[in-house]
Amino acid sequence: MRRNRLGKTDVHVTELGFGGGPLGGLFAPLDDETAAGALEAAWDSGIRYFDTSPHYGIGHSERRIGALLRDRPRDSFTLSTKVGRLLVPQDAAGRMDESFAVPATHRRVWDFTRDGVLRSVEDSLERMGVDRVDTLFLHDAEEHFEDALRDGYPALAELRAQGVVGAIGAGMYHPGQLARLVRESDVDVVMLSGRYTLLDHSALDELLPVCTDRGVSVLAASVFNSGLLATARPTEGSTFDYAPAEQGMLERANRIADVCEAHGVTLPELAMAFPLRHPAVAGIVVGMRTAEEVRANTAAFGAEIPAALWDDLRSERLLDERAPVA
């Protein structure tokens, strides 16, 4: 599987990365055996970039990814995690976590201070059982952006200067804030969630141009917009950005699916191919929870997309004219 460099660093990622959110029990419980099967299938398929976060299942995702990777040659894979939330132990008292289907054994505390960042990295390394991560992201800083920019970014830059991590950036869904981070700091990469997809081209307004100008790489996450683009034919009840898709968005997805069918391409194949056509995008990150999902996504990844399909999308006004597709 092709690998691309992140910014000007020596860190490379496979164009298809494994997103660790579902391993934390996103939407539904997930047992260790199923999670391990998904990770083994990803490794067998050639995926060598794995992304996780303390937030995902209050540590479950990090532990499960670490169980796979800690016995692999360290230079054979790329690993990223995130900072911004510290996990504080608590008595679950029979309660489940508010975000993931796991017992509420910890609570999250927002912390983008230097000490908070350093503690978060130390805790993540311990959970994963590895000696380093390759890339570190400020995570979900939309409501804490000034703190993340003022305190969190310098802490990441310090770790990069010390050689503790190879690349730094932020993972967010707000393209405007990410564009500001790129302009006002020296990050290497940003992970953009759901804002450069077949259904949302908002990253073209500001973020992708500034990343191109400054040589900052983009990793496109949530390329299926949480579900609406994940099947060949979207149906009622499909989700867009983790909520039921509005009728207009559902109809738009089905119009794109019509064009896909006319060219012998599936909607998920096109959804994975689209972001990678932009020169700033180094890879896509897809969340997967079972071996079956991994095999389906890796089979669809890299499908041949006829040039006429892109032309038809443009003629149907389903694709922004600014989006490169060559």
Side-chain angles (χ1 to χ4, degrees), residues 94-120:
R95 293 175 291 112
M96 298 297 286
D97 181 63
E98 68 272 15
S99 302
F100 293 81
V102 296
T105 57
H106 294 72
R107 60 185 177 89
R108 300 168 181 83
V109 177
W110 289 102
D111 194 335
F112 286 101
T113 66
R114 178 181 182 275
D115 287 347
V117 167
L118 298 181
R119 178 180 164 189
S120 183

Short mmCIF file of all heavy atoms in Angstrom, two decimals, residues 94-120:
data_model
loop_
_atom_site.label_atom_id
_atom_site.label_comp_id
_atom_site.label_asym_id
_atom_site.label_seq_id
_atom_site.Cartn_x
_atom_site.Cartn_y
_atom_site.Cartn_z
N GLY A 94 -21.64 0.94 38.28
CA GLY A 94 -22.62 0.35 37.38
C GLY A 94 -23.00 1.22 36.19
O GLY A 94 -23.85 0.82 35.38
N ARG A 95 -22.38 2.40 36.05
CA ARG A 95 -22.73 3.31 34.96
C ARG A 95 -21.88 3.02 33.73
O ARG A 95 -20.77 2.50 33.82
CB ARG A 95 -22.51 4.76 35.40
CG ARG A 95 -23.46 5.22 36.50
CD ARG A 95 -23.12 6.62 37.00
NE ARG A 95 -21.84 6.64 37.73
CZ ARG A 95 -20.74 7.24 37.32
NH1 ARG A 95 -20.72 7.86 36.16
NH2 ARG A 95 -19.64 7.22 38.06
N MET A 96 -22.43 3.41 32.57
CA MET A 96 -21.70 3.32 31.32
C MET A 96 -21.19 4.70 30.93
O MET A 96 -21.77 5.73 31.30
CB MET A 96 -22.59 2.75 30.21
CG MET A 96 -23.09 1.34 30.47
SD MET A 96 -21.73 0.12 30.56
CE MET A 96 -21.29 -0.01 28.81
N ASP A 97 -20.10 4.73 30.17
CA ASP A 97 -19.54 5.98 29.69
C ASP A 97 -20.57 6.72 28.83
O ASP A 97 -21.38 6.10 28.13
CB ASP A 97 -18.28 5.69 28.87
CG ASP A 97 -17.63 6.94 28.35
OD1 ASP A 97 -17.18 7.76 29.17
OD2 ASP A 97 -17.57 7.10 27.12
N GLU A 98 -20.52 8.06 28.87
CA GLU A 98 -21.52 8.84 28.14
C GLU A 98 -21.29 8.84 26.63
O GLU A 98 -22.20 9.16 25.85
CB GLU A 98 -21.52 10.29 28.63
CG GLU A 98 -20.28 11.10 28.33
CD GLU A 98 -19.19 10.98 29.38
OE1 GLU A 98 -19.26 10.05 30.22
OE2 GLU A 98 -18.26 11.80 29.37
N SER A 99 -20.09 8.49 26.17
CA SER A 99 -19.76 8.58 24.75
C SER A 99 -19.53 7.23 24.08
O SER A 99 -19.72 7.10 22.86
CB SER A 99 -18.53 9.45 24.54
OG SER A 99 -18.73 10.75 25.07
N PHE A 100 -19.10 6.24 24.83
CA PHE A 100 -18.77 4.94 24.28
C PHE A 100 -19.40 3.85 25.15
O PHE A 100 -19.65 4.06 26.34
CB PHE A 100 -17.25 4.74 24.22
CG PHE A 100 -16.57 5.65 23.23
CD1 PHE A 100 -16.27 6.96 23.56
CD2 PHE A 100 -16.22 5.19 21.97
CE1 PHE A 100 -15.65 7.81 22.65
CE2 PHE A 100 -15.60 6.03 21.06
CZ PHE A 100 -15.31 7.34 21.40
N ALA A 101 -19.65 2.70 24.54
CA ALA A 101 -20.33 1.60 25.24
C ALA A 101 -19.33 0.81 26.07
O ALA A 101 -19.03 -0.36 25.80
CB ALA A 101 -21.04 0.70 24.23
N VAL A 102 -18.79 1.46 27.11
CA VAL A 102 -17.86 0.83 28.05
C VAL A 102 -18.22 1.31 29.46
O VAL A 102 -18.81 2.38 29.62
CB VAL A 102 -16.39 1.20 27.72
CG1 VAL A 102 -15.99 0.66 26.36
CG2 VAL A 102 -16.18 2.71 27.79
N PRO A 103 -17.87 0.52 30.48
CA PRO A 103 -18.13 0.98 31.86
C PRO A 103 -17.41 2.29 32.15
O PRO A 103 -16.28 2.51 31.69
CB PRO A 103 -17.58 -0.17 32.71
CG PRO A 103 -17.63 -1.37 31.82
CD PRO A 103 -17.33 -0.86 30.43
N ALA A 104 -18.06 3.14 32.93
CA ALA A 104 -17.53 4.49 33.21
C ALA A 104 -16.46 4.44 34.29
O ALA A 104 -16.60 5.04 35.37
CB ALA A 104 -18.66 5.41 33.60
N THR A 105 -15.35 3.76 34.00
CA THR A 105 -14.27 3.60 34.97
C THR A 105 -13.39 4.83 35.09
O THR A 105 -12.56 4.91 35.99
CB THR A 105 -13.40 2.40 34.59
OG1 THR A 105 -12.91 2.60 33.25
CG2 THR A 105 -14.20 1.10 34.65
N HIS A 106 -13.54 5.77 34.14
CA HIS A 106 -12.76 7.00 34.15
C HIS A 106 -13.66 8.16 33.72
O HIS A 106 -14.68 7.96 33.07
CB HIS A 106 -11.57 6.93 33.18
CG HIS A 106 -10.53 5.93 33.56
ND1 HIS A 106 -10.72 4.56 33.45
CD2 HIS A 106 -9.27 6.10 34.05
CE1 HIS A 106 -9.63 3.92 33.85
NE2 HIS A 106 -8.74 4.84 34.23
N ARG A 107 -13.24 9.35 34.10
CA ARG A 107 -13.89 10.56 33.59
C ARG A 107 -12.84 11.37 32.84
O ARG A 107 -11.64 11.27 33.11
CB ARG A 107 -14.51 11.38 34.72
CG ARG A 107 -13.53 11.87 35.77
CD ARG A 107 -14.25 12.57 36.91
NE ARG A 107 -13.31 12.97 37.95
CZ ARG A 107 -12.66 14.13 37.98
NH1 ARG A 107 -12.88 15.02 37.01
NH2 ARG A 107 -11.83 14.42 38.96
N ARG A 108 -13.30 12.15 31.90
CA ARG A 108 -12.41 12.97 31.09
C ARG A 108 -12.30 14.38 31.68
O ARG A 108 -13.31 14.97 32.05
CB ARG A 108 -12.92 13.05 29.66
CG ARG A 108 -13.04 11.70 28.95
CD ARG A 108 -13.84 11.84 27.66
NE ARG A 108 -14.00 10.57 26.97
CZ ARG A 108 -14.92 9.67 27.26
NH1 ARG A 108 -15.78 9.90 28.25
NH2 ARG A 108 -15.01 8.55 26.57
N VAL A 109 -11.08 14.89 31.68
CA VAL A 109 -10.83 16.26 32.13
C VAL A 109 -10.08 16.99 31.03
O VAL A 109 -8.99 16.57 30.63
CB VAL A 109 -10.01 16.28 33.44
CG1 VAL A 109 -9.71 17.72 33.84
CG2 VAL A 109 -10.74 15.55 34.55
N TRP A 110 -10.67 18.06 30.52
CA TRP A 110 -9.99 18.83 29.48
C TRP A 110 -8.71 19.45 30.03
O TRP A 110 -8.71 20.03 31.11
CB TRP A 110 -10.89 19.95 28.96
CG TRP A 110 -12.04 19.47 28.13
CD1 TRP A 110 -13.34 19.35 28.51
CD2 TRP A 110 -11.98 19.04 26.77
NE1 TRP A 110 -14.10 18.87 27.46
CE2 TRP A 110 -13.28 18.68 26.38
CE3 TRP A 110 -10.95 18.94 25.83
CZ2 TRP A 110 -13.59 18.22 25.10
CZ3 TRP A 110 -11.24 18.48 24.55
CH2 TRP A 110 -12.55 18.13 24.20
N ASP A 111 -7.61 19.31 29.28
CA ASP A 111 -6.35 19.88 29.74
C ASP A 111 -5.39 20.01 28.56
O ASP A 111 -4.84 19.02 28.08
CB ASP A 111 -5.73 19.00 30.82
CG ASP A 111 -4.60 19.70 31.58
OD1 ASP A 111 -3.99 20.61 31.00
OD2 ASP A 111 -4.35 19.33 32.74
N PHE A 112 -5.20 21.25 28.09
CA PHE A 112 -4.25 21.51 27.01
C PHE A 112 -2.99 22.20 27.53
O PHE A 112 -2.20 22.73 26.74
CB PHE A 112 -4.90 22.38 25.92
CG PHE A 112 -5.89 21.63 25.07
CD1 PHE A 112 -7.26 21.76 25.30
CD2 PHE A 112 -5.47 20.80 24.05
CE1 PHE A 112 -8.18 21.07 24.51
CE2 PHE A 112 -6.37 20.11 23.26
CZ PHE A 112 -7.74 20.25 23.49
N THR A 113 -2.78 22.21 28.84
CA THR A 113 -1.56 22.80 29.39
C THR A 113 -0.36 21.93 29.06
O THR A 113 -0.50 20.75 28.69
CB THR A 113 -1.66 22.96 30.91
OG1 THR A 113 -1.71 21.65 31.51
CG2 THR A 113 -2.89 23.76 31.31
N ARG A 114 0.83 22.50 29.24
CA ARG A 114 2.04 21.73 28.99
C ARG A 114 2.07 20.49 29.88
O ARG A 114 2.35 19.38 29.39
CB ARG A 114 3.28 22.59 29.25
CG ARG A 114 4.60 21.85 29.06
CD ARG A 114 5.78 22.75 29.37
NE ARG A 114 7.05 22.05 29.15
CZ ARG A 114 7.63 21.27 30.05
NH1 ARG A 114 7.05 21.09 31.25
NH2 ARG A 114 8.79 20.67 29.77
N ASP A 115 1.80 20.66 31.16
CA ASP A 115 1.82 19.51 32.07
C ASP A 115 0.76 18.49 31.67
O ASP A 115 0.99 17.28 31.75
CB ASP A 115 1.58 19.96 33.51
CG ASP A 115 2.79 20.68 34.10
OD1 ASP A 115 3.88 20.62 33.48
OD2 ASP A 115 2.64 21.32 35.17
N GLY A 116 -0.41 18.97 31.25
CA GLY A 116 -1.47 18.06 30.83
C GLY A 116 -1.09 17.27 29.59
O GLY A 116 -1.36 16.06 29.50
N VAL A 117 -0.44 17.94 28.64
CA VAL A 117 0.00 17.25 27.43
C VAL A 117 1.04 16.18 27.76
O VAL A 117 0.97 15.04 27.29
CB VAL A 117 0.58 18.27 26.41
CG1 VAL A 117 1.34 17.56 25.29
CG2 VAL A 117 -0.55 19.12 25.83
N LEU A 118 2.03 16.54 28.57
CA LEU A 118 3.08 15.58 28.92
C LEU A 118 2.50 14.39 29.67
O LEU A 118 2.89 13.24 29.43
CB LEU A 118 4.15 16.27 29.76
CG LEU A 118 4.91 17.42 29.07
CD1 LEU A 118 5.97 17.98 30.00
CD2 LEU A 118 5.53 16.95 27.76
N ARG A 119 1.59 14.65 30.59
CA ARG A 119 0.96 13.55 31.33
C ARG A 119 0.13 12.67 30.41
O ARG A 119 0.16 11.44 30.52
CB ARG A 119 0.09 14.11 32.45
CG ARG A 119 -0.65 13.02 33.24
CD ARG A 119 -1.49 13.61 34.34
NE ARG A 119 -2.47 12.64 34.82
CZ ARG A 119 -3.45 12.92 35.65
NH1 ARG A 119 -3.60 14.16 36.11
NH2 ARG A 119 -4.30 11.99 36.03
N SER A 120 -0.58 13.28 29.48
CA SER A 120 -1.41 12.52 28.55
C SER A 120 -0.55 11.59 27.70
O SER A 120 -0.91 10.41 27.50
CB SER A 120 -2.20 13.47 27.66
OG SER A 120 -3.06 12.76 26.79
#
